Amino acid sequence: MNIILLGYMTSGKSVIGKKLSQILKKPFQDLDDYIEKKEGKTISDIFTIKGEIYFRKVEAMHLESFLQQNNMILSLGGGTPCYGNNMNLIKQQLNTQSIYLNVSVAELSKRLYLNKENRPLVAHLQSEDAVAEFVGKHIFERVNFYNQADIIVNANNSPEKVIDDIFLKLF
């Protein structure tokens, strides 16, 4: 079985994915990291140099190739499920469970504000309130896609608690 982790920036997809990989002895891949390696550029640089449309095409192509594999854990970029036919592709996979790591806007804002220099979408925002406003609007646009996941887990908790919740719902 494949496990696909989705959710907003800083929802814990990579952290949870790596821990699940260790526990379940399945390979883990972060889609954004994979794209950066393949392109030889950061996601931010790809957006700047080649544009979002190029990035979304590359993202969809690599997502589709990963979905053909079996018995792995894949964390998606925050926007991956929201573009093109990506969420439908994920839902059509027979041996795949998608998991939405649902984190409150307040918690996401706090995490993003503390790490904003590494997040180009929010790096320019000057206060935690400004980040919260940005996140709230963005989540509103994306939540319909995220809520299509097979499993929704409250990811405001510690990684250990999130993993326990995932196991309760998966097995």
Side-chain angles (χ1 to χ4, degrees), residues 48-91:
T48 301
I49 297 164
K50 296 192 174 183
E52 184 175 7
I53 293 171
Y54 173 84
F55 172 77
R56 295 299 175 190
K57 286 181 180 178
V58 168
E59 178 183 59
M61 177 187 72
H62 290 303
L63 171 63
E64 197 165 353
S65 72
F66 277 116
L67 291 175
Q68 303 309 311
Q69 297 179 33
N70 195 22
N71 208 30
M72 70 170 305
I73 299 166
L74 177 67
S75 70
L76 305 181
T80 307
C82 312
Y83 290 91
N85 196 34
N86 293 343
M87 198 62 209
N88 286 333
L89 283 173
I90 293 165
K91 289 169 52 176

Side-chain angles (χ1 to χ4, degrees), residues 7 20 31 49 86-87 89 91 99 107 112-113 142 144 156 159:
L20 285 173
L31 185 59
I49 297 164
N86 293 343
M87 198 62 209
L89 283 173
K91 289 169 52 176
I99 302 171
E107 181 63 23
L112 276 169
Y113 187 71
R142 293 179 174 191
N144 181 49
N156 284 313

Side-chain angles (χ1 to χ4, degrees), residues 7-163:
Y8 199 68
M9 292 183 285
T10 70
S11 62
K13 300 178 299 284
S14 295
V15 170
I16 298 300
K18 289 173 186 172
K19 289 184 181 292
L20 285 173
S21 172
Q22 292 169 346
I23 295 166
L24 297 173
K25 308 282 190 257
K26 293 179 184 240
F28 168 75
Q29 183 63 60
D30 179 291
L31 185 59
D32 282 349
D33 288 350
Y34 183 81
I35 292 169
E36 287 182 341
K37 285 178 195 152
K38 285 292 192 184
E39 293 289 315
K41 296 174 184 59
T42 66
I43 300 298
S44 183
D45 286 345
I46 297 168
F47 267 69
T48 301
I49 297 164
K50 296 192 174 183
E52 184 175 7
I53 293 171
Y54 173 84
F55 172 77
R56 295 299 175 190
K57 286 181 180 178
V58 168
E59 178 183 59
M61 177 187 72
H62 290 303
L63 171 63
E64 197 165 353
S65 72
F66 277 116
L67 291 175
Q68 303 309 311
Q69 297 179 33
N70 195 22
N71 208 30
M72 70 170 305
I73 299 166
L74 177 67
S75 70
L76 305 181
T80 307
C82 312
Y83 290 91
N85 196 34
N86 293 343
M87 198 62 209
N88 286 333
L89 283 173
I90 293 165
K91 289 169 52 176
Q92 290 170 2
Q93 300 306 305
L94 296 177
N95 200 22
T96 296
Q97 289 288 305
S98 57
I99 302 171
Y100 168 31
L101 301 180
N102 185 8
V103 179
S104 70
V105 170
E107 181 63 23
L108 287 170
S109 301
K110 185 173 19 167
R111 292 178 187 180
L112 276 169
Y113 187 71
L114 293 172
N115 193 26
K116 72 179 192 155
E117 64 278 353
N118 297 320
R119 302 292 181 163
L121 284 177
V122 297
H124 67 284
L125 300 173
Q126 298 301 314
S127 68
E128 195 171 331
D129 287 343
V131 172
E133 183 178 342
F134 176 88
V135 170
K137 288 177 183 176
H138 229 196
I139 290 287
F140 180 77
E141 295 167 356
R142 293 179 174 191
V143 73
N144 181 49
F145 295 97
Y146 294 160
N147 281 333
Q148 293 177 47
D150 299 313
I151 296 170
I152 298 173
V153 174
N154 177 349
N156 284 313
N157 303 307
S158 70
E160 294 74 24
K161 173 75 171 113
V162 172
I163 288 169

